[in-house]
């Protein structure tokens, strides 16, 4: 997946995927980075930060293999990530998108997410009604590298 971030568009909005970032997500306990696979190969990476109050969890990133961009992989990956049973329960989801990232804003908008206020240059996108997660309490911890 590191090779994906040599793509200028992906690197501009979500990069870099480097050792510091990997070390951070491997020890994170308040969210997850989910790798979505197709035919045994990674096709997307979806990050989630859990709301400790169980209100709305945040989608922190959706990175799609650049060779599969605009093929429906992003939608399938987001659907799979939001449905993952390891998330704690929540009433819905938000995503914070750079207000200049027209592609990401269009992606979430096409999926029925509502554009809200801009704070610190990021537009708050809110999931459609009925997008609550009824998962069980998840315990995340350090993961093996590699």
């Amino acid at each position: 997946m590191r090779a994906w971030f040599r793509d200028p568009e992906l690197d501009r909005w979500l990069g870099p995927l480097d050792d510091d970032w990997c070390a951070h997500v491997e020890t994170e306990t308040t969210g997850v980075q989910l790798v979505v696979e197709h035919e045994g190969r990674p096709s997307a990476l979806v990050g989630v930060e859990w709301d400790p109050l169980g209100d709305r969890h945040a989608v922190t990133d959706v990175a799609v293999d650049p060779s599969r961009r605009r093929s429906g992989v992003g939608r399938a990956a987001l659907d799979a990530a939001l449905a993952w049973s390891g998330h704690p329960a929540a009433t819905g989801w938000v995503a914070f998108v750079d207000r200049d990232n027209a592609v990401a804003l269009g992606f979430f908008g096409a999926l029925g997410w509502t554009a809200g206020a801009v704070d610190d240059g990021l537009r708050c996108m809110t999931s459609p009604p009925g997008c609550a997660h009824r998962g069980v309490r998840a315990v995340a911890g350090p993961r093996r590298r590699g």
Side-chain angles (χ1 to χ4, degrees):
M1 290 181 292
R2 284 183 190 224
W4 298 354
F5 287 82
R6 286 194 292 268
D7 174 77
E9 185 175 343
L10 192 55
D11 185 57
R12 175 180 180 196
W13 300 112
L14 297 176
L17 192 150
D18 58 16
D19 289 340
D20 289 339
W21 182 85
C22 290
H24 170 74
V25 299
E26 289 174 352
T27 59
E28 182 59 52
T29 60
T30 61
V32 290
Q33 287 286 327
L34 299 169
V35 177
V36 180
E37 295 181 344
H38 177 72
E39 297 178 355
R41 297 190 51 114
S43 60
L45 179 68
V46 180
V48 172
E49 180 77 21
W50 296 320
D51 180 348
L53 301 177
D55 184 19
R56 296 180 299 172
H57 297 325
V59 174
T60 59
D61 51 271
V62 179
V64 173
D65 174 351
S67 70
R68 301 185 62 145
R69 190 178 285 138
R70 295 172 184 82
S71 69
V73 168
R75 178 187 189 123
L78 183 62
D79 287 347
L82 298 187
W84 181 63
S85 64
H87 298 302
T91 61
W93 298 88
V94 293
F96 296 96
V97 180
D98 189 296
R99 67 178 175 220
D100 295 329
N101 189 341
V103 171
L105 292 169
F107 169 77
F108 282 103
L111 298 178
W113 291 53
T114 305
V118 173
D119 184 23
D120 200 25
L122 300 175
R123 168 108 28 223
C124 180
M125 303 293 293
T126 303
S127 63
C131 198
H133 185 77
R134 292 162 183 70
V136 296
R137 275 280 164 219
V139 178
R143 294 163 188 76
R144 284 184 342 173
R145 283 189 148 184

